[in-house]
Each structure stands twice: as structure tokens, then as C-alpha cells.
Amino acid sequence: MDTLLPGIDAERVPTNRLTVNVLSIPDRTGPAVLFVHGNVSSSLFWQPMMLALPEPYRPLAVDLRGFGDTDDEPIDATRGLRDFSDDLAAAIAALRLDAVHLVGWSMGGGVVLQYLVDRPG
């Protein structure tokens, strides 16, 4: 992907639901901060924020289904944002993030809130 800023890497990560694209800054191993983009956007939106996030944080940004380089899977609109939030949960599990700070913008904020409503622990 030639739209990545210097210092950002992209990786497709298989989960138990689909394969998601995740941006990261190599060699950052501190507390994870996972950024979730809004509608008609992608993880690329978060690159300047990822680069500005200070050590020791580990910035990550995920493409939701059908956006960026994540698999284009159908969405069941009767579930609201739950397909996206369930995908987010699967990505968090696949990345083996025991604890994570979640940041969402626009629709991504709704996805984060749905994730938290369904997983209050």
C-alpha cells in the first residue's frame, strides 16, 4: 500500500470472522490504543494521530469490514453496528490484546460504544 506514511506498517490479520487490515508502528510494545475509523473512511485516516501518540503507547488502527484492505463481507443491517463491533472483538482477540484503549471517530465511535455495551467487563 503506497498511501502509508513513513513509520507506519500494514498487516492483514486473520480472525475467526474475517481478515482485517491493521496499521501499526513497528517496535511499539506499550499499552495498546486501537483507533476505529468512521464511515466512508479507513484506517489511513488515523496515521497522523498514530505518529503523534507518545511512547509508551502502541498505536493500532483497524479497517472495518468492507473498508480499506479488510475483507468485504455482507452486513446484516438488522443488527445495527454489531457486525462491526463483533469484528472489532475478533480483531482484538487475534491481536492478543488483553487490555486496549479504544478510540472511535464518527461511525467508529458507535462501533466502539456497541463493543462496550456488549462486553461491559
Side-chain angles (χ1 to χ4, degrees):
M1 178 182 300
D2 59 355
T3 54
L4 292 177
L5 295 178
I8 304 280
D9 280 358
E11 176 185 10
R12 287 184 37 88
V13 177
T15 75
N16 63 355
R17 294 177 56 82
L18 74 170
T19 299
V20 297
N21 186 59
V22 179
L23 302 185
S24 65
I25 296 179
D27 304 324
R28 292 272 195 105
T29 59
V33 178
L34 182 57
F35 296 97
V36 184
H37 65 83
N39 199 14
V40 194
S41 185
S42 75
S43 60
L44 298 175
F45 170 85
W46 292 109
Q47 291 181 97
M49 181 67 68
M50 292 173 66
L51 292 169
L53 194 69
E55 293 277 358
Y57 294 100
R58 176 185 174 201
L60 303 162
V62 63
D63 283 328
L64 297 173
R65 73 169 53 201
F67 293 91
D69 283 339
T70 290
D71 290 350
D72 187 16
E73 297 290 335
I75 295 171
D76 179 356
T78 65
R79 300 187 71 228
L81 294 174
R82 281 196 169 93
D83 281 335
F84 293 124
S85 65
D86 290 347
D87 294 345
L88 181 62
I92 289 169
L95 292 166
R96 297 186 176 126
L97 302 176
D98 294 328
V100 61
H101 299 280
L102 296 171
V103 180
W105 170 69
S106 189
M107 182 185 75
V111 171
V112 166
L113 289 174
Q114 187 66 63
Y115 172 89
L116 295 171
V117 164
D118 292 343
R119 296 158 187 86

